[in-house]
Amino acid sequence: MDASAVLRQRIITSLILAVALVGTLTYAPYAVQAALFALVATAGAWEWATLVGARTAWQRCAFAAGVPLLCFSMWRVIDLPAAGSAVSAQPFLAASAFLWSVMLLGLKYYPAAQGVWRHALVRAALGWIILSITWLAVTVCLTMSNGPFVMFLMILTVAAADIGAYFVGRRFGRHALARDISPGKTWEGFWGGLLSVVILTAVIWKALPPAYLHLGFGSLLALGLATAGASVVGDLTVSLLKREVGLKDSGSLLPGHGGVLDRLDSICGAAPVFALGLLLVGY
């Protein structure tokens, strides 16, 4: 399939996903939203099972079952969506942000630290932690003031970074960002993605009602850039794990995109950083 056909497929699939997301955020009650996003995380875990070495449907089901169990446990422990639950979730989000900082070091020194990723138990633990904390970050965003809109902004930030990186990288990409992990990604694309987020943040800032202007443009810009950077780390982390087991795509459910995990990887990095950042800037 030529590049234009693939791009057309990607756009059509993205539009369908966008409509489904907006419909869920607009019309579904909070509990239903939480359950649906847990289902998406579980679908990601089903695909992650191949990164662990699961070969049968039974093995994949056994691995994937860990994610909804963790989600339900956090729901009970943090008492979502009770008042103050977002603050109660802050230690989990902070721990996740720290984990992504460690993952950034792992990416930087790959393949020198390659032996770590070859342990199936390490890959399994990462899958359970990353996917369940992503669900937690999403549900925390939904508990905030104008939660569905907050969630949409997070997705929009990740999409802006991804789209900017894609088109700038295709046109100007010369220097590999992580040649041993994802040869197609370039530093030019990375900076193009960040520039897209700067523009998006400026547009959002101009459109904010007065009640939210106390956040400050600088704080929102820092949050947007941190979210975009974390999305790249999430993407590269999953790419690294797929490379370790010889996979190009995690699945084929989403035409033009691959599997569910191929769309979730950026959000896995971005969501905890975004939710934690909102709490820290006093949203």
Side-chain angles (χ1 to χ4, degrees):
M1 187 179 295
D2 59 44
S4 61
V6 172
L7 178 59
R8 185 164 56 251
Q9 260 193 351
R10 285 175 67 91
I11 292 173
I12 292 172
T13 302
S14 296
L15 289 174
I16 293 172
L17 293 175
V19 170
L21 175 66
V22 171
T24 300
L25 295 177
T26 303
Y27 298 108
Y30 175 80
V32 174
Q33 291 173 348
L36 288 175
F37 287 121
L39 185 61
V40 172
T42 303
W46 169 269
E47 294 178 351
W48 195 295
T50 61
L51 304 180
V52 178
R55 290 179 173 81
T56 66
W58 182 89
Q59 289 173 328
R60 296 178 76 172
C61 284
F63 177 82
V67 168
L69 287 175
L70 286 170
C71 292
F72 180 73
S73 297
M74 288 188 290
W75 176 281
R76 297 297 300 271
V77 170
I78 300 173
D79 196 22
L80 291 165
S85 59
V87 176
S88 300
Q90 189 165 325
F92 293 88
L93 300 175
S96 177
F98 176 75
L99 173 62
W100 285 115
S101 300
V102 173
M103 296 303 298
L104 179 59
L105 290 175
L107 296 173
K108 177 178 174 58
Y109 292 106
Y110 185 84
Q114 194 172 20
V116 175
W117 312 113
R118 291 187 172 172
H119 292 285
L121 186 58
V122 171
R123 298 197 298 269
L126 283 175
W128 286 322
I129 293 170
I130 287 172
L131 290 168
S132 59
I133 294 295
T134 300
W135 171 84
L136 175 64
V138 167
T139 55
V140 165
C141 286
L142 292 171
T143 66
M144 296 179 179
S145 173
N146 297 311
F149 181 69
V150 169
M151 174 65 184
F152 181 72
L153 283 184
M154 187 269 288
I155 299 291
L156 193 60
T157 300
V158 174
D162 186 45
I163 292 169
Y166 180 79
F167 285 104
V168 173
R170 284 192 64 188
R171 177 64 180 84
F172 301 105
R174 296 292 183 275
H175 303 88
L177 175 63
R179 189 182 307 276
D180 293 322
I181 299 173
S182 185
K185 289 183 171 56
T186 63
W187 278 108
E188 290 83 0
F190 174 77
W191 295 116
L194 292 190
L195 178 60
S196 298
V197 172
V198 171
I199 296 170
L200 174 65
T201 304
V203 171
I204 292 171
W205 168 254
K206 287 292 185 181
L208 279 178
Y212 295 101
L213 294 183
H214 69 281
L215 297 175
F217 177 73
S219 296
L220 291 180
L221 181 59
L223 175 60
L225 293 176
T227 301
S231 75
V232 175
V233 177
D235 187 342
L236 288 175
T237 296
V238 175
S239 294
L240 182 156
L241 297 177
K242 288 189 292 189
R243 179 171 287 271
E244 282 296 306
V245 297
L247 287 178
K248 181 180 183 296
D249 295 322
S250 62
S252 57
L253 182 62
L254 305 175
H257 293 271
V260 173
L261 190 57
D262 294 310
R263 286 298 84 202
L264 274 183
D265 51 10
S266 298
I267 295 173
C268 285
V273 172
F274 184 80
L276 179 64
L278 282 177
L279 293 173
L280 294 178
V281 300
Y283 177 75

